[in-house]
Amino acid sequence: MKKLLLKGFVMMFALCLSLAAQAQLTTPYFEDFEGMSTSTVPTGWDNSASQSSTLSTTPYYIWGVFSPTSGAFAGNQMIRMYNWGVQSGVACINTPAITLPAAGGSCQLVFKYAHNASCGDFKVKISTDNGTTFTDLATYAKGSGSSQSDPGEFTEATINLNSYLGNTAIIQFWTNSDYGSGAIFVDD
């Protein structure tokens, strides 16, 4: 689980840290979250549009970098929407702006996810107007797990982005948090 591929020409969504500091990224774009501080928002990402807030001081985020301490993914970093100890409301996190290939090319968002939260659907959205509006790309229902700390089994998702070629895009991972159980995990 070391690559969250956002294929643009096979846009790799495992963000290279060296690119994350730039104001705008180009494809291929890759982020695996390895080497980032846990319990923080990933470098270059933004969760300020979330309308829910934490009820306690730990963790300090709703979406943030997480590293399981046990199970099959122990030591592997990913992002997690922590659904415990948060107010009900929108919980979302945005990638940095990414320049997609020019028309005539091909582009896909590829990533792995595990939806173990009690919060309902998990959506992936896109914005081509610098985050002012977002369009739904895909919706994923809750899986069978309920763990906050072990993703269990990941599912690979592939979303065609060809209709957005030539644009600068922001990808958003979105859900409604509900002070419930479980978590949503995204990696590679």
Side-chain angles (χ1 to χ4, degrees):
M1 288 270 184
K2 297 253 179 191
K3 296 171 190 90
L4 180 81
L5 298 177
L6 178 86
K7 298 179 180 176
F9 265 148
V10 199
M11 180 182 212
M12 297 178 161
F13 186 94
L15 260 175
C16 294
L17 289 178
S18 62
L19 294 176
Q22 298 175 6
Q24 192 170 351
L25 306 173
T26 58
T27 58
Y29 174 77
F30 178 82
E31 179 55 75
D32 64 3
F33 310 105
E34 301 302 323
M36 292 186 182
S37 297
T38 58
S39 299
T40 63
V41 175
T43 304
W45 292 51
D46 176 30
N47 71 350
S48 63
S50 289
Q51 297 168 347
S52 60
S53 58
T54 59
L55 296 175
S56 63
T57 57
T58 306
Y60 301 104
Y61 62 89
I62 296 169
W63 277 99
V65 178
F66 174 71
S67 182
T69 57
S70 63
F73 300 101
N76 180 42
Q77 290 186 220
M78 59 198 68
I79 56 172
R80 169 180 77 163
M81 190 288 292
Y82 188 71
N83 197 47
W84 176 258
V86 296
Q87 299 282 356
S88 294
V90 171
C92 59
I93 190 165
N94 300 338
T95 67
I98 304 165
T99 301
L100 302 180
S106 130
C107 188
Q108 295 179 316
L109 167 63
V110 178
F111 61 96
K112 293 180 176 73
Y113 74 94
H115 183 350
N116 299 336
S118 61
C119 60
D121 290 341
F122 159 55
K123 295 182 180 185
V124 178
K125 300 181 177 200
I126 191 168
S127 173
T128 57
D129 59 8
N130 202 33
T132 301
T133 59
F134 284 87
T135 302
D136 290 1
L137 292 172
T139 301
Y140 304 100
K142 181 189 179 313
S144 59
S146 63
S147 175
Q148 299 171 159
S149 58
D150 183 358
E153 191 169 321
F154 276 88
T155 300
E156 185 170 280
T158 300
I159 301 171
N160 185 316
L161 299 178
N162 288 344
S163 58
Y164 300 97
L165 292 174
N167 287 290
T168 297
I170 296 172
I171 303 296
Q172 181 179 78
F173 295 100
W174 181 100
T175 193
N176 273 312
S177 57
D178 69 355
Y179 191 69
S181 62
I184 297 172
F185 304 87
V186 176
D187 201 4
D188 298 343

